[in-house]
Amino acid sequence: MEVVIVPDAKAGGELIADAIGALVNRKPDALLGVATGSTPLPIYHALREKVRSGALDVSRVRICQLDEYVGLPAGHPESYRSVVLREVVGPLGLPEESFMGPDGSAEDIPAACEAYDKALAEAGGVDIQILGIGTDGHIGFNEPCSSLSSRTRIKTLTEQTRIDNARFFDGDISQVPYHVITQGIGTILEARHPILLATGEGKADAVAQTVEGPIASVVPASALQLHPHATVVVDKAAASKLKLADYFRATYATKPSWQGL
Ligand code: PGA
């Protein structure tokens, strides 16, 4: 995989927004897979700026969701559907119909998961999939020991992930659902270009294991090593445990300009 070390989160957001811009210019109706959490916010901010300044037309872009809590009432402000509408779809001026995600309030969760995988395939597959990473190495909500060929399905969050996410629920862990629907690792690997952004020292161990460790389901993000075109963008702090950091810096500095991200 390609590892790009950037000075800070803002630079990471701008770099990834540029890659999305290049995609949309060559494929105006691209299917963009978005992630929630704090890390991707600089990407959405940079994308909004491009649209606001008239540098990019995203009017035909389609957006799809990576994961969703199970059991939150429809319209709950922290359901990932609400978050993506608030952070991405609305600010980019896209109609709600351009957005799809799994139904976390479905009565038949397995059927909703299967329907979502089918919908992604019928939409032509994801072009760029933005990913964050959990402190435990999860991508989407594929917690440690998820099958590396998993499809969209229900998962149970680890205690650590529920603690990490309690900040979105007034710091009250009892409000964080136990269950989620997440695109599986196999589903994520079908995206044409997964781009993982990690920032801050808290992610340094997970990044090092993802990039330089063995492929292992105990570090779900390490499955990206199997993808022919996966990019990991990290700020200095998140890169601080990479043994090959100097090599990654030199590789990016000398990268042929025609190659893009
Ligand atoms: P964060 O979440 O960006 O809020 O740290 C990342 C994740 O859990 O995937």
Side-chain angles (χ1 to χ4, degrees):
M1 63 180 79
E2 178 177 29
V3 180
V4 182
I5 303 173
V6 292
D8 52 31
K10 184 166 180 280
E14 283 166 359
L15 182 72
I16 297 172
D18 283 348
I20 295 168
L23 165 71
V24 173
N25 282 333
R26 68 174 187 272
K27 185 176 181 184
D29 65 344
L31 181 58
L32 176 64
V34 296
T36 48
S38 310
T39 310
L41 296 178
I43 306 173
Y44 308 141
H45 183 78
L47 211 49
R48 274 204 296 275
E49 280 308 298
K50 282 185 190 299
V51 173
R52 198 190 52 80
S53 69
L56 183 67
D57 176 5
V58 292
S59 56
R60 292 177 57 204
V61 167
R62 298 164 299 149
I63 304 285
C64 64
Q65 204 174 325
L66 184 60
D67 44 17
E68 181 58 281
Y69 290 114
V70 168
L72 290 181
H76 187 290
E78 292 308 325
S79 77
Y80 284 169
R81 180 171 185 86
S82 299
V83 172
V84 173
L85 287 171
R86 194 166 64 231
E87 302 289 352
V88 186
V89 177
L92 292 182
L94 298 173
E96 211 170 314
E97 305 78 69
S98 66
F99 167 49
M100 60 179 175
D103 182 0
S105 56
E107 289 225 335
D108 186 342
I109 293 288
C113 294
E114 204 181 314
Y116 190 50
D117 263 352
K118 200 162 162 237
L120 290 173
E122 283 172 1
V126 178
D127 289 297
I128 284 182
Q129 175 64 56
I130 297 167
L131 298 167
I133 186 169
T135 51
D136 60 4
H138 71 213
I139 46 173
F141 271 138
N142 293 284
E143 296 286 33
C145 298
S146 288
S147 156
L148 299 185
S149 58
S150 47
R151 311 302 304 174
T152 299
R153 70 218 183 288
I154 191 169
K155 287 292 289 182
T156 306
L157 295 179
T158 63
E159 183 74 358
Q160 185 60 52
T161 297
R162 293 182 62 246
I163 291 168
D164 289 346
N165 287 8
R167 69 190 192 280
F168 297 114
F169 293 84
D170 302 320
D172 178 3
I173 189 174
S174 71
Q175 289 184 45
V176 184
Y178 284 92
H179 292 117
V180 291
I181 292 176
T182 180
Q183 283 190 33
I185 296 175
T187 318
I188 292 170
L189 291 178
E190 284 172 5
R192 293 181 186 88
H193 186 189
I195 305 180
L196 186 150
L197 177 63
T199 52
E201 199 164 352
K203 301 291 173 67
D205 279 320
V207 166
Q209 289 175 40
T210 294
V211 173
E212 295 175 343
I215 298 172
S217 65
V218 75
V219 183
S222 66
L224 293 173
Q225 294 177 30
L226 293 166
H227 197 286
H229 185 198
T231 306
V232 174
V233 180
V234 281
D235 70 356
K236 274 193 267 184
S240 59
K241 299 205 169 152
L242 288 172
K243 293 191 187 72
L244 290 171
D246 287 344
Y247 171 65
F248 295 137
R249 283 196 177 90
T251 302
Y252 189 65
T254 56
K255 186 173 180 173
S257 57
W258 51 262
Q259 229 175 4
L261 203 59

